[in-house]
Amino acid sequence: MSKVVVIDDEPFILLMLEDKLKRAGIDVVTSRVSVGALDIIRREMPDLVILDWMMPEISGIEICRLLKADPELSGIPVFMLTAKGQEEDEKLGMKCGANRYITKPFSPKMLLEVVQEEIEAGG
Amino acid sequence: MRTYRLQYKFLIAFVAFFVILLVPFSIVVYKDYWVTMERLDSIEPLSPEQRAAADLHFDEILDNFMFVSFYVFVLAFIFSLFFAKIIMDPVKQLYRGARELSEGNFNTKLDVTTSDELGEVTRAFNQMADALRKQNEELNRKDHYLAAMVDPMWVVDEDNFITDINPAFSRLLGYGKDEVVGSSIFDFIEEEDGKVMRRKFFEADPAEPPAYEISVISKTEGIIPVLLSVSSIMEDGEATGRIGIIKDFRREAALREAIKEEKEDTEAIMDSMVDHLVVVDRDYRILRANLAARVDMGERLLGEFCGDVLHGGSGRCAPGSEDCPARKVFETGQSRRTVHEHVQDGHRRAFVEIVAFPGKDIRGDVKHAVLSMRDITEQKQFEDEIERKNRELTMFSGISKILGRSLNAEDIFNRVLDKLTELVGMDGGGIYLLDEMHKSLMCAFHRGVSEGFVLSAGHIKLGEDIPGRVALTGNAFVSSDVSQDGRAEKSVLKHSGVKAYACFPIMGKEKLAGVFFMFGFKGRVFTPEEERTFGSISEMMGISLENVRLYEKMRELYEQNRNRRAEEHRNLLDLSTMLATTLDLKKVLASSISLIRKACRADFVWLLGLREDHLVLRAASDGDFAGGEEVYLGGAASIERRVIEKKKPFVTRRLAPGGEFRFDTRLEKYGAACSVPLYIGDRALGAFTLYYLAARELPEEEVHFLQTVGSVLAVALERTRLYENVIIQKGMAETVLESITDGVVTVDGEGAVMAMNSAAGRITGLPPEDAVGNVLADILGASPANAELRLKVQACIEDAIGGKVTSAESNFTVSGGRRLPLVFRSAPVRDGKGETVGVVFVLRDLSVERELDAMKSDFVRSVSHEFRTPLTAIVGMTEMVLEGEVGEQRARDYLSTVLAEANRLSEMVSDVLDLAKIEGGKEIFTEGEIDFRAILKDVGEVFEYAIKKKNAGYKANVNGTVKGFRGDADRLKQMLRNLVENSLAYSDRGCNVRVSVRGRKGGVTIEVSDDGWGIPGDELQYMGEKFYRGGSAAGTKGSGLGLSLSKEIAKMHGGSLTVESEAGKGTRVVVELPERRD
């Protein structure tokens, strides 16, 4: 079973994604706090990580950068979930190694599709 | 053929043997038969049949016997053949071998096939053949040797007839062997040589082979010189012949000839040389000498010791005598050059350069020394002369350098003394200078003299002692031993240990300046050249001394002049500094007057100004005079009136009452006066006058100086007056300039700053007072980062000078790297005549505007972000509910989230709209009485959850009288909610938030404070700016509108909102609301 870790400080987004992905048979581990996110990822070793950008304490971009710098974790694909819609923001996100950049608001259906696509591609 | 015969002999022997053997046997058989028959007959007569039978039997026996005989014969024949062969084969082989040997084949070797006597014979034959072969080889080898010999050889018998020659003989003499064998050897030798040889052969001792140099006659080449060696051939102690070996001696003879010629040539060369050449052996005896040597040193030179001949002295060179070159050559094997000094004829010194070369034998051992000697006395004398001249020149140039380089007497003479004592090699010396007043000499400089001696002998009266006499007479004194010199009888030198002494007068251009002396503790001969040199040096010293004195005199004059100028200059400088730094007219005048009085050492100075036609006292150095007093009325013939009219200073040596001028009565005590007019262009301002108690003359320079002072003073007066007029106008203009926020800079035609307002100071970062005088382009473009700005500023100045108004925009990087976007506009500044005298710059710092622009786009981004989050819930959850992906209960949860987020969105929208409305003044103020307690309660309830979650301390209270305060309750509630929300949002867990509403006279003060993160100082100024969110807002949600909205609400109520904060300590927001009256 594939596993996805979702980190977002907005509880309803976690709830929504958990429902959507679990229904598609994907195991979901969520966290509302960004502190310790890397520990969770290291523990779960998921197939994909979905990160919110704007979070108190540590931003999603920072987590993504740390994750990509860690040789053990760098292989895990990362989706950035963010309300930042500007083009430069997207560039910055990609520069940090994010595999995909999803702008809020988004369709859960579409998200599921890209998640499945990414997991299948990762094999 | 003989072999066959032997074979036949064998055959015959056999047949004979057979016959001898068979005949008796046949007889025996036959006789036996007949005996037998008779016996039988005797016993019984035999019948005829028996007889016939017996006859038959006998025939049979005979037949058998014949057969056997034949058989034996054949067998015997075969055997005989066989044995004959066995014996004949080795014999035949021997025969063959012998034939081969006789044909010269010494390699013959026979096979030994039998071990009998024949075998022995074969073996012996083989040994014999071997021995013959070896002998033959030996002979052949010897023949080869003879053939290989390079030197010709002949062999003769005892009668000297040639028996043999080798090929070399034929080659040399051209005769074949056949031609010479049998001829007498003397046929080939030159007749004379032949005769000698015959005799020599006769005398010769056979044990010692003689060698002769003879000539032989060649068939082809004629007579050839050769070396012949002859040895006898002895046989049994008897000479049977001779062997002669000839060596071609043509090359040797040629070489010998050449050597002989060479030797003769060498002799000729040696003899033709002017230098003396002698060859000495290891005993230092002269073996050979060339012609020059023989002529100069006598023919009997050969065999003498070279030491005896060359320097008439000690025979052989003593061991260790350093400069004996021959000795060195024998010791080292190397050539050696040296110069000997010989005393000839008892006194004449001669210098001989001797070069010795090793003469080596064939083994390389030094056998001889070849000495080449040259008289270099003359050359040496030249060299000495040159050296002496050089020394003199060095001394002259050294001393003249010293004399020429400096104008410091002490420096010059000390160094001259040093140089002289060093160059001349004396122990010391000194210089006495003439003291004309006291008619004495003072020892001014000295070297190598004790202070005690200087004290006792350093002061000499003219005519006393040697220096005194030299000074008096002007004649030099030189002595090689002063203690023995009669002229020094009375001198202190007599017993001072000094020996060599020289004293020379130092002559100036016209008269004596002093004397110089040198001394040495060893006797020393002063050559006439040296004396001349000293004379020249003393002349140079004299000139130099005069120069120095002249220079010192000039210097003194110059110094005096310079000091006076410096003082004037200083006074002027003081005056102008004072004038430039003060603009208070009274003070300026008072200070100027006192300065002038001091500078010119006057007793009283006053300054009169021209008012209408009267002369009014403006300032005086004496307190008795009051400013403003009209001293001389128009028309009064005062000295000041005169100088003003004539426009030039006037000096009077005596103030005579009733004289040319009218004087104020108070000035009667003064003796002299100098008055100077004050003019600006053609406009007279007044005059100032210096009064002296004593009658005195004023030097022209001083009057000139006062004139200068007058000009400076006039300008200052005018400037001060103008300044006073202008200051009021300028004050206004300046106030305007200072109050505008744009930077205004005025620069002159060169771009140098003339004035700058404080806003420009803020922008450039240079206080206006420091900026004045600096070039604007340099101020703005000092760092390389501002190169572009610099160019633009320069271009603007050029445009403005050209009369154009231009503007440009550029970034200005201030120290610290911050970039200010700067827009500047330049315009020409014109004077009254319309000529451009400068450029005015208006600089505007666009950074605040730019920042606001940036904030606006930040706001758009931030608002869009804040809108997107609730939209995510609305879009996402609705989609999932619609897709039927969630159960009913979950769908309910979803929908309530959607609702909450939709409400949040709507609230935000209204915040934005409210702000826009309030800002646009479109908001309707809904006024009513405010119940602060209720509002605070409501706010507390709104944040109850958030407070609990943050574990925050929250206190809200209302103090004083707030009843009856009127306002817009919703807006005030909105404001408080925003403020409390901010406090909670920008604080850590466990923070404390206090809200207090205090009624006071004339209004209400609302305070919301926290101990949260606070706001850094640089961000504080932007707090309450619309859309601004501080650095710590990055991780929190918000539109950046809360505080702006609150500020607008406070403003709406006619009040104000201020934020006080310190990073890390907390924030306090104070809202002052005035009481509203209907």
Side-chain angles (χ1 to χ4, degrees):
Chain A
M1 202 151 107
S2 313
K3 193 190 275 178
V4 175
V5 168
V6 187
I7 294 162
D8 196 313
D9 62 333
E10 210 57 75
F12 69 80
I13 290 181
L14 296 179
L15 181 71
M16 202 168 79
L17 288 179
E18 201 173 346
D19 282 352
K20 186 77 190 176
L21 297 175
K22 273 195 173 152
R23 265 182 78 85
I26 297 168
D27 195 4
V28 181
V29 178
T30 63
S31 169
R32 270 199 67 186
V33 283
S34 51
V35 178
L38 273 179
D39 291 335
I40 295 170
I41 296 165
R42 207 170 280 124
R43 191 184 66 222
E44 301 291 340
M45 289 309 282
D47 298 285
L48 179 75
V49 176
I50 299 176
L51 291 171
D52 184 22
W53 184 324
M54 296 268 282
M55 285 190 287
E57 283 108 21
I58 309 172
S59 76
I61 282 291
E62 194 55 33
I63 296 172
C64 179
R65 198 180 285 134
L66 292 171
L67 183 143
K68 291 293 178 189
D70 186 329
E72 260 182 69
L73 306 178
S74 59
I76 302 172
V78 177
F79 285 4
M80 290 305 298
L81 210 54
T82 176
K84 292 193 174 211
Q86 251 80 3
E87 213 175 298
E88 330 56 293
D89 298 335
E90 193 166 339
K91 271 187 201 155
L92 178 63
M94 289 305 183
K95 223 171 158 184
C96 297
N99 299 56
R100 204 178 271 270
Y101 190 89
I102 296 158
T103 319
K104 290 178 187 175
F106 56 86
S107 148
K109 203 163 83 184
M110 180 276 296
L111 182 81
L112 178 65
E113 275 169 27
V114 292
V115 165
Q116 278 171 332
E117 202 177 285
E118 187 68 45
I119 289 172
E120 273 160 34
Chain B
M1 286 305 278
R2 275 172 283 183
T3 357
Y4 289 109
R5 256 176 269 149
L6 196 62
Q7 234 164 353
Y8 296 141
K9 280 177 190 166
F10 264 104
L11 274 179
I12 294 162
F14 255 98
V15 172
F17 172 71
F18 171 74
V19 172
I20 293 164
L21 201 68
L22 212 56
V23 170
F25 185 66
S26 310
I27 295 167
V28 169
V29 171
Y30 189 72
K31 202 176 165 187
D32 212 22
Y33 170 73
W34 282 108
V35 169
T36 308
M37 284 308 280
E38 273 168 19
R39 274 175 194 169
L40 284 170
D41 264 344
S42 57
I43 304 163
E44 180 182 354
L46 285 174
S47 67
E49 282 94 14
Q50 274 178 322
R51 197 139 307 233
D55 282 343
L56 191 67
H57 176 63
F58 182 70
D59 284 344
E60 275 174 7
I61 288 173
L62 205 65
D63 281 350
N64 281 343
F65 181 76
M66 285 306 284
F67 177 74
V68 170
S69 295
F70 181 73
Y71 174 74
V72 170
F73 178 78
V74 170
L75 214 61
F77 185 76
I78 290 169
F79 270 113
S80 75
L81 274 180
F82 174 70
F83 282 111
K85 184 168 171 59
I86 285 175
I87 293 166
M88 283 312 290
D89 274 358
V91 173
K92 268 195 240 171
Q93 201 185 0
L94 275 173
Y95 170 69
R96 217 169 38 245
R99 276 187 75 99
E100 276 178 24
L101 269 183
S102 72
E103 280 161 15
N105 183 4
F106 296 100
N107 290 325
T108 309
K109 193 163 172 92
L110 302 181
D111 296 333
V112 181
T113 47
T114 58
S115 55
D116 53 12
E117 288 82 349
L118 273 172
E120 284 297 313
V121 169
T122 311
R123 209 171 280 124
F125 176 86
N126 278 348
Q127 280 167 359
M128 184 191 75
D130 209 31
L132 276 174
R133 186 171 49 80
K134 276 180 186 158
Q135 195 97 26
N136 193 44
E137 273 169 11
E138 183 74 30
L139 279 174
N140 279 342
R141 210 158 38 237
K142 281 186 179 155
D143 270 354
H144 284 307
Y145 295 158
L146 286 179
M149 268 178 78
V150 177
D151 295 329
M153 188 205 79
W154 46 255
V155 184
V156 294
D157 58 15
E158 63 267 44
D159 298 319
N160 293 322
F161 288 105
I162 294 170
T163 56
D164 198 3
I165 58 165
N166 70 345
F169 187 96
S170 303
R171 279 199 297 277
L172 184 69
L173 276 87
Y175 298 101
K177 191 173 176 175
D178 306 341
E179 290 171 89
V180 295
V181 172
S183 315
S184 167
I185 187 64
F186 297 112
D187 294 347
F188 304 97
I189 295 171
E190 242 199 353
E191 207 180 333
E192 283 301 314
D193 289 341
K195 282 181 194 164
V196 176
M197 258 180 74
R198 275 178 215 274
R199 201 175 61 242
K200 291 246 170 147
F201 279 180
F202 185 70
E203 294 166 354
D205 173 5
E208 205 174 291
Y212 316 98
E213 239 186 280
I214 56 163
S215 297
V216 292
I217 304 154
S218 161
K219 188 177 180 182
T220 50
E221 293 174 55
I223 292 168
I224 299 171
V226 294
L227 183 74
L228 169 68
S229 60
V230 180
S231 41
S232 301
I233 302 169
M234 304 298 283
E235 260 173 48
D236 304 329
E238 198 76 20
T240 55
R242 287 184 187 87
I243 293 177
I245 294 171
I246 298 170
K247 188 154 182 69
D248 183 351
F249 229 52
R250 274 177 296 188
R251 274 182 59 201
E252 281 76 1
L255 191 66
R256 193 181 294 161
E257 195 62 30
I259 288 170
K260 197 177 154 199
E261 268 172 35
E262 154 82 25
K263 208 168 163 188
E264 277 164 11
D265 283 352
T266 311
E267 295 263 341
I269 291 169
M270 275 176 73
D271 285 346
S272 69
M273 278 170 78
V274 183
D275 293 347
H276 298 168
L277 276 179
V278 295
V279 179
V280 298
D281 65 4
R282 280 186 164 270
D283 291 329
Y284 304 98
R285 279 175 210 280
I286 295 170
L287 298 182
R288 286 177 66 189
N290 71 345
L291 187 65
R294 290 198 302 274
V295 168
D296 286 354
M297 302 185 211
E299 279 296 337
R300 290 176 54 215
L301 175 80
L302 299 182
E304 297 286 327
F305 285 118
C306 64
D308 286 344
V309 176
L310 299 180
H311 28 101
S314 56
R316 285 166 165 229
C317 286
S321 62
E322 279 303 313
D323 59 347
C324 175
R327 186 184 172 77
K328 286 283 165 196
V329 165
F330 291 133
E331 275 172 6
T332 61
Q334 308 278 324
S335 5
R336 172 86 176 177
R337 179 189 177 277
T338 186
V339 174
H340 275 195
E341 187 181 342
H342 297 165
V343 179
Q344 292 180 343
D345 312 333
H347 68 278
R348 197 172 75 86
R349 294 194 313 164
F351 292 91
V352 182
E353 181 194 58
I354 307 177
V355 185
F357 307 95
K360 295 181 180 177
D361 66 5
I362 207 146
R363 281 172 305 192
D365 293 339
V366 181
K367 280 253 175 199
H368 312 118
V370 182
L371 307 178
S372 155
M373 288 165 289
R374 178 179 293 177
D375 186 345
I376 53 163
T377 313
E378 208 167 311
Q379 186 188 338
K380 191 87 180 160
Q381 274 168 355
F382 274 127
E383 277 175 15
D384 286 351
E385 181 74 7
I386 287 166
E387 200 187 313
R388 195 179 54 73
K389 289 269 180 211
N390 255 341
R391 211 168 45 233
E392 243 170 53
L393 272 178
T394 315
M395 183 152 70
F396 266 127
S397 88
I399 287 164
S400 59
K401 235 185 238 167
I402 295 167
L403 292 173
R405 281 238 180 105
S406 178
L407 277 168
N408 178 337
E410 195 166 335
D411 184 35
I412 291 174
F413 293 112
N414 277 327
R415 284 168 63 184
V416 165
L417 279 176
D418 280 342
K419 194 92 188 167
L420 260 178
T421 46
E422 177 204 322
L423 288 172
V424 181
M426 302 286 273
D427 294 306
I431 289 167
Y432 284 99
L433 294 182
L434 181 67
D435 181 349
E436 275 184 281
M437 275 213 331
H438 298 96
K439 300 255 177 230
S440 64
L441 292 168
M442 289 292 296
C443 184
F445 311 102
H446 54 86
R447 277 290 173 280
V449 183
S450 74
E451 288 300 327
F453 186 83
V454 174
L455 276 179
S456 67
H459 192 256
I460 296 170
K461 284 232 171 297
L462 267 183
E464 279 180 8
D465 212 324
I466 300 168
R469 281 210 300 279
V470 170
L472 197 65
T473 59
N475 294 328
F477 174 92
V478 174
S479 176
S480 60
D481 187 351
V482 78
S483 60
Q484 303 295 318
D485 200 313
R487 295 174 294 173
E489 271 313 312
K490 289 177 187 164
S491 172
V492 287
L493 292 166
K494 187 84 183 173
H495 308 290
S496 59
V498 168
K499 282 210 157 173
Y501 189 78
C503 184
F504 286 84
I506 299 175
M507 292 302 295
K509 213 170 181 183
E510 283 158 359
K511 56 191 180 190
L512 184 109
V515 297
F516 96 88
F517 65 94
M518 311 203 64
F519 63 85
F521 294 111
K522 280 186 207 148
R524 185 188 195 285
V525 179
F526 292 94
T527 60
E529 288 91 356
E530 271 173 337
E531 282 182 31
R532 260 203 318 279
T533 310
F534 288 149
S536 309
I537 289 171
S538 63
E539 256 170 50
M540 279 160 70
M541 279 159 77
I543 293 165
S544 180
L545 195 67
E546 274 190 349
N547 280 347
V548 168
R549 283 183 176 159
L550 189 67
Y551 168 74
E552 275 169 2
K553 187 92 189 159
M554 277 168 67
R555 214 174 119 95
E556 205 180 295
L557 284 171
Y558 168 75
E559 284 290 324
Q560 278 175 8
N561 215 4
R562 199 176 68 153
N563 286 344
R564 199 168 53 74
R565 294 244 172 238
E567 201 188 327
E568 272 179 16
H569 187 252
R570 199 167 50 245
N571 287 333
L572 265 178
L573 198 72
D574 284 351
L575 182 66
S576 24
T577 314
M578 193 262 297
L579 292 177
T581 47
T582 335
L583 279 168
D584 181 341
L585 192 58
K586 259 193 192 153
K587 221 164 138 191
V588 164
L589 291 178
S591 309
S592 309
I593 292 300
S594 97
L595 218 128
I596 294 167
R597 194 181 76 83
K598 226 161 66 193
C600 296
R601 289 178 281 276
D603 298 303
F604 173 71
V605 180
W606 72 0
L607 189 147
L608 305 181
L610 207 55
R611 191 162 67 199
E612 285 153 17
D613 202 24
H614 312 302
L615 283 167
V616 182
L617 181 70
R618 301 295 296 271
S621 61
D622 195 327
D624 288 352
F625 298 83
E629 180 189 344
E630 282 186 356
V631 186
Y632 302 113
L633 293 175
S638 64
I639 187 168
E640 288 83 6
R641 173 73 60 192
R642 176 186 164 126
V643 295
I644 289 169
E645 276 171 7
K646 299 275 180 191
K647 287 192 186 176
K648 61 180 185 193
F650 187 81
V651 182
T652 166
R653 268 180 286 172
R654 285 192 66 80
L655 304 183
E660 194 183 346
F661 303 113
R662 230 201 88 193
F663 287 103
D664 189 279
T665 46
R666 285 166 292 187
L667 303 173
E668 278 168 358
K669 56 182 169 175
Y670 296 109
C674 171
S675 186
V676 180
L678 301 174
Y679 266 90
I680 283 280
D682 280 336
R683 198 155 59 82
L685 302 180
F688 69 93
T689 317
L690 287 79
Y691 291 94
Y692 296 88
L693 285 172
R696 63 168 288 182
E697 197 111 25
L698 246 78
E700 208 176 316
E701 297 98 35
E702 209 158 316
V703 176
H704 189 76
F705 167 68
L706 285 172
Q707 244 177 318
T708 317
V709 170
S711 320
V712 175
L713 210 55
V715 173
L717 281 175
E718 186 64 1
R719 189 175 68 109
T720 314
R721 192 180 63 81
L722 287 175
Y723 178 77
E724 279 172 352
N725 289 345
V726 161
I727 200 125
I728 305 154
Q729 298 165 18
K730 191 172 181 256
M732 269 176 68
E734 260 179 15
T735 314
V736 172
L737 272 179
E738 284 305 306
S739 56
I740 62 171
T741 52
D742 288 346
V744 177
V745 185
T746 321
V747 300
D748 61 15
E750 308 295 318
V753 174
M754 300 198 293
M756 185 190 257
N757 70 348
S758 50
R762 267 198 306 281
I763 292 169
T764 58
L766 198 67
E769 56 272 23
D770 292 351
V772 171
N774 290 324
V775 176
L776 182 62
D778 288 345
I779 297 172
L780 290 171
S783 88
N786 291 324
E788 185 201 340
L789 177 63
R790 186 194 183 96
L791 289 177
K792 284 189 178 171
V793 167
Q794 280 164 344
C796 277
I797 292 176
E798 274 165 31
D799 284 349
I801 287 169
K804 266 198 282 181
V805 175
T806 43
S807 69
E809 213 175 312
S810 179
N811 277 324
F812 174 45
T813 307
V814 295
S815 58
R818 204 157 68 87
R819 287 155 74 90
L820 298 180
L822 218 59
V823 64
F824 45 92
R825 182 183 290 272
S826 62
V829 176
R830 297 198 167 91
D831 64 4
K833 293 172 204 157
E835 272 174 29
T836 306
V837 291
V839 179
V840 63
F841 263 90
V842 180
L843 305 169
R844 177 172 291 172
D845 177 5
L846 293 179
S847 51
V848 176
E849 286 164 41
R850 290 276 160 84
E851 265 173 55
L852 283 176
D853 282 349
M855 269 185 237
K856 264 179 208 161
S857 51
D858 249 13
F859 164 73
V860 172
R861 198 182 300 176
S862 155
V863 159
S864 90
H865 175 261
E866 292 306 318
F867 283 9
R868 279 167 194 270
T869 306
L871 275 173
T872 309
I874 295 164
V875 171
M877 288 184 162
T878 318
E879 184 194 285
M880 280 169 75
V881 171
L882 283 177
E883 296 268 326
E885 284 185 67
V886 288
E888 198 181 326
Q889 184 52 45
R890 189 43 72 93
R892 211 175 275 279
D893 293 346
Y894 272 27
L895 288 177
S896 60
T897 307
V898 167
L899 183 63
E901 291 299 314
N903 281 336
R904 188 170 134 197
L905 192 58
S906 132
E907 237 171 71
M908 268 194 279
V909 171
S910 38
D911 260 3
V912 174
L913 291 178
D914 280 350
L915 191 66
K917 250 196 267 175
I918 296 170
E919 272 192 332
K922 289 177 189 157
E923 169 66 1
I924 299 149
F925 192 84
T926 317
E927 197 184 300
E929 195 169 317
I930 305 297
D931 182 352
F932 279 108
R933 286 189 174 81
I935 289 175
L936 290 183
K937 193 168 162 255
D938 273 3
V939 171
E941 278 167 9
V942 168
F943 293 107
E944 202 180 340
Y945 175 73
I947 289 165
K948 205 180 277 172
K949 211 174 78 180
K950 260 219 150 135
N951 194 21
Y954 177 76
K955 267 186 195 163
N957 52 48
V958 180
N959 301 316
T961 320
V962 291
K963 216 170 153 69
F965 184 84
R966 296 179 70 83
D968 189 326
D970 286 347
R971 292 290 169 222
L972 288 178
K973 198 196 281 181
Q974 192 180 9
M975 178 180 85
L976 274 166
R977 215 170 49 218
N978 282 338
L979 297 179
V980 171
E981 192 178 8
N982 280 350
S983 283
L984 285 169
Y986 302 112
S987 300
D988 288 326
R989 275 177 64 78
C991 62
N992 288 298
V993 180
R994 270 179 63 97
V995 183
S996 83
V997 178
R998 206 167 60 244
R1000 54 171 171 83
K1001 203 177 171 195
V1004 167
T1005 304
I1006 303 168
E1007 223 183 281
V1008 179
S1009 57
D1010 63 66
D1011 53 1
W1013 301 340
I1015 303 158
D1018 54 337
E1019 289 180 3
L1020 200 58
Q1021 54 175 319
Y1022 303 114
M1023 279 296 138
E1025 296 269 12
K1026 238 182 329 174
F1027 323 127
Y1028 182 81
R1029 299 190 74 207
S1032 53
T1036 60
K1037 294 187 163 75
S1039 58
L1041 290 175
L1043 199 61
S1044 318
L1045 198 54
S1046 303
K1047 210 172 187 175
E1048 291 302 325
I1049 292 168
K1051 261 199 228 165
M1052 207 171 100
H1053 283 80
S1056 66
L1057 180 148
T1058 50
V1059 184
E1060 296 162 18
S1061 181
E1062 201 180 322
K1065 291 256 172 88
T1067 309
R1068 185 165 149 248
V1069 182
V1070 181
V1071 183
E1072 297 282 1
L1073 300 178
E1075 197 167 342
R1076 293 178 75 87
R1077 309 231 175 260
D1078 295 320

